[in-house]
Amino acid sequence: MYRISTQEMRSDSELSNLSVRQLRARRRRLAAALGDPQASLEGSLVSQMRRCGKEGCRCAQGELHGPYVYLSIGRSANRRLLYVPAELAEVVRSHVSLTEQIETTLAAISAINLELFARRQLD
Ligand SMILES: [Zn+2]
């Protein structure tokens, strides 16, 4: 799969050095490489050790269970952790990672469009 190069992640000030033709070509490449939006799953995976709460369990002595994988969704006050069963961890991981890639690509396209707009070349 096509990955955004660091060159394409350059700051807005560097975009200003490119011609309109170069900006549009880069935008086209980025759009073509955009992953399938159907895969979107926002969140991040976290791994945690847990206490089960059972009296006399080894975890009460600090020997925690896990690690278990959780999908962290929402922001600050609305943040929630959803347990991810081991057999689903890989598919969830790939969705989360593809979503990050889509967001990075959209941000890069947006930066190009902002540059085109500044030059009154947004089509
Ligand atoms: Zn326990």
Side-chain angles (χ1 to χ4, degrees), residues 4-12 14-15 26 104-105 108:
I4 301 165
S5 66
T6 40
Q7 195 191 14
E8 278 162 333
M9 293 287 288
R10 293 184 307 182
S11 67
D12 299 357
E14 285 166 305
L15 285 179
R26 177 177 296 188
T104 305
T105 305

Side-chain angles (χ1 to χ4, degrees), residues 23-79:
L23 287 169
R24 288 188 175 143
R26 177 177 296 188
R27 188 180 62 178
R28 198 161 42 244
R29 266 199 321 276
L30 288 165
L34 204 58
D36 182 358
Q38 289 184 103
S40 262
L41 183 59
E42 276 186 50
S44 56
L45 288 178
V46 296
S47 182
Q48 285 191 354
M49 305 294 286
R50 287 287 170 106
R51 238 181 265 281
C52 70
K54 281 182 201 143
E55 213 177 310
C57 181
R58 59 187 170 87
C59 67
Q61 263 55 253
E63 229 186 292
L64 302 180
H65 303 281
Y68 299 112
V69 177
Y70 295 85
L71 179 65
S72 171
I73 57 167
R75 283 169 211 278
S76 55
N78 296 319
R79 192 164 170 271

Side-chain angles (χ1 to χ4, degrees), residues 1-5 8-9 26-35 97-113:
M1 175 186 251
Y2 179 85
R3 297 213 169 249
I4 301 165
S5 66
E8 278 162 333
M9 293 287 288
R26 177 177 296 188
R27 188 180 62 178
R28 198 161 42 244
R29 266 199 321 276
L30 288 165
L34 204 58
S97 140
L98 187 70
T99 305
E100 283 166 4
Q101 217 179 309
I102 289 171
E103 284 167 357
T104 305
T105 305
L106 286 178
I109 291 171
S110 185
I112 291 169
N113 281 334

